[in-house]
């Protein structure tokens, strides 16, 4: 029995390590590809479209060719009213986030991403899925103050890059809230493969509009580097990140995932300064980020405490995930409510979990 527990624990830590490596790796890889100082492919929309096209193609093979996963019952009405708006905000969040790499450092981007709980809470209150609370509001103020201090201490502060990143954060927050409001009202949940199958192609189409206006006129084929293996491995890492998140959700609790996310952010900030020497971190940067992180930790604590106040179901969270993942989708598309583990560098992840699971993990600040 003890050996089984130890084996399971080791496997859990392996999954967490894989998640941290992939999540950090995708961010650093994207920065390296996009940066004019390195690989010099300064076309963030094009890179995002490559990710979406690759993910959609792999999902198509898994569902239609190899039939590893069964498709859900998707009506035209559900697709237009749910998938289309979610895909639009998803595409926007990736577009804005990747564009920010051209203007600001990875370390500063990670510090700005501490605003994710603030954006998610505000969007949830506006959409009516959460209530304004004094304790949460004070935490949001603390996070915001920390981000402002960190921004003030940024040596290479760039307004354009900061605006793009903040826009990406709010687009992602709205996408998370819309997923809860729209898909759950329809009784529809998607696993990682089916979410990519339906949403990646739609996001690709949305991205083609700004690509045609902003990037196509400036593309000079003779000056653009295109290395198949670079782009293939980059897209493959982003796809692998999706499945690593799903594996982590299935084997750990909310506290572990949140701690792993915080650890990953600190590792990423440190690594980025080594890999990209032009990135400079000041004492004010660290002080501001530490303040913001305190607010995030307190916010996570409040959310976890709220979850513990809810009577638990018979099945454990990992059991519910495993059970839902193995079950075939019913003919009417009915299923438990979905969950979002937010990792902005990964394509959309929607695991088939209960609302309690979403409360535990949906506000995780990653990437």
């Amino acid at each position: 029995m003890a050996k089984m527990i130890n084996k399971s624990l080791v496997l859990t830590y392996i999954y967490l390590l894989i998640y941290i490596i992939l999540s950090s790796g995708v961010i650093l890889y994207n920065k390296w590809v996009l940066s004019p100082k390195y690989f010099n492919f300064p076309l963030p929309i094009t890179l995002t479209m490559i990710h979406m096209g690759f993910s959609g193609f792999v999902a198509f093979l898994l569902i239609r060719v190899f039939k590893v996963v069964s498709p859900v019952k998707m009506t035209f009405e559900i697709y237009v009213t749910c998938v289309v708006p979610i895909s639009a905000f998803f595409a926007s969040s990736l577009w804005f986030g990747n564009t920010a790499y051209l203007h600001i450092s990875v370390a500063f981007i990670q510090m700005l991403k501490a605003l994710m709980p603030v954006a998610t809470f505000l969007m949830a209150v506006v959409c009516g899925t959460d209530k304004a609370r004094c304790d949460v509001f004070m935490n949001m103020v603390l996070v915001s103050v920390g981000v402002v201090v960190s921004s003030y201490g940024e040596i290479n502060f760039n307004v354009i890059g900061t605006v793009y990143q903040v826009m990406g954060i709010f687009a992602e927050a709205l996408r998370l809230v819309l997923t809860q409001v729209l898909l759950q009202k329809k009784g529809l949940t998607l696993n990682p493969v089916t979410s990519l199958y339906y949403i990646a192609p739609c996001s690709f189409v949305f991205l083609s509009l700004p690509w045609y206006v902003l990037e196509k006129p400036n593309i000079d084929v003779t000056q653009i580097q295109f290395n198949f293996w670079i782009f293939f491995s980059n897209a493959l890492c982003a796809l692998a990140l999706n499945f690593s998140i799903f594996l982590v959700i299935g084997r750990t609790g909310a506290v572990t995932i949140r701690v792993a996310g915080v650890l990953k952010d600190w590792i990423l900030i440190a690594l980025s300064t080594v890999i990209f020497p032009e990135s400079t971190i000041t004492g004010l940067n660290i002080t501001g980020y530490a303040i913001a992180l305190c607010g995030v930790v307190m916010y996570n604590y409040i959310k976890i405490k709220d979850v513990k106040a809810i009577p638990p179901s018979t099945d454990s969270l990992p059991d519910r995930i495993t059970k839902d993942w193995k079950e075939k989708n019913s003919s009417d598309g009915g299923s438990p409510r979905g969950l979002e583990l937010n990792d902005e560098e990964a394509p959309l992840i929607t695991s088939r979990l209960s609302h309690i699971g979403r409360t535990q993990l949906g506000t995780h600040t990653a990437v």
Side-chain angles (χ1 to χ4, degrees), residues 92-262:
S92 299
S93 68
L94 293 177
W95 164 26
F96 296 148
N98 281 338
T99 303
Y101 289 127
L102 296 176
H103 305 281
I104 54 181
S105 67
V106 171
F108 186 48
I109 285 174
Q110 292 307 118
M111 294 175 189
L112 288 175
K113 284 179 179 178
L115 284 172
M116 191 65 203
V118 178
T120 305
F121 175 69
L122 291 176
M123 293 298 102
V125 171
V126 171
C127 295
T129 61
D130 205 344
K131 295 180 180 179
R133 294 166 49 181
C134 184
D135 54 351
V136 175
F137 177 76
M138 293 306 296
N139 286 333
M140 298 302 97
V141 171
L142 185 61
V143 171
S144 301
V145 168
V147 171
V148 170
V149 172
S150 181
S151 300
Y152 185 76
E154 176 65 16
I155 294 177
N156 301 312
F157 182 81
N158 182 284
V159 175
I160 296 176
T162 302
V163 169
Y164 265 115
Q165 184 57 48
V166 172
M167 287 170 58
I169 289 171
F170 275 89
E172 174 67 7
L174 191 53
R175 193 269 299 179
L176 288 170
V177 175
L178 283 179
T179 300
Q180 181 185 9
V181 172
L182 298 178
L183 287 184
Q184 291 177 7
K185 280 188 176 180
K186 301 293 183 180
L188 180 70
T189 54
L190 307 171
N191 61 48
V193 178
T194 53
S195 68
L196 291 172
Y197 178 74
Y198 291 109
I199 293 176
C202 190
S203 297
F204 183 93
V205 172
F206 274 108
L207 288 167
S208 66
L209 302 177
W211 175 84
Y212 185 83
V213 176
L214 299 176
E215 292 190 357
K216 183 179 181 295
N218 301 319
I219 293 179
D220 186 348
V221 179
T222 60
Q223 296 182 1
I224 295 295
Q225 294 190 67
F226 189 87
N227 184 310
F228 171 80
W229 294 109
I230 291 291
F231 291 103
F232 175 75
S233 59
N234 183 253
L236 189 63
C237 287
L239 183 66
L241 177 56
N242 283 273
F243 297 106
S244 72
I245 294 173
F246 182 72
L247 291 174
V248 168
I249 291 175
R251 300 194 66 89
T252 62
V255 176
T256 306
I257 290 178
R258 293 176 193 275
V259 171
V262 172

Side-chain angles (χ1 to χ4, degrees), residues 74-86 182 202 206:
M74 180 69 67
T75 65
F76 180 77
E77 185 261 340
I78 292 177
Y79 192 85
V80 171
T81 60
C82 298
V83 175
V84 170
I86 290 171
L182 298 178
C202 190
F206 274 108

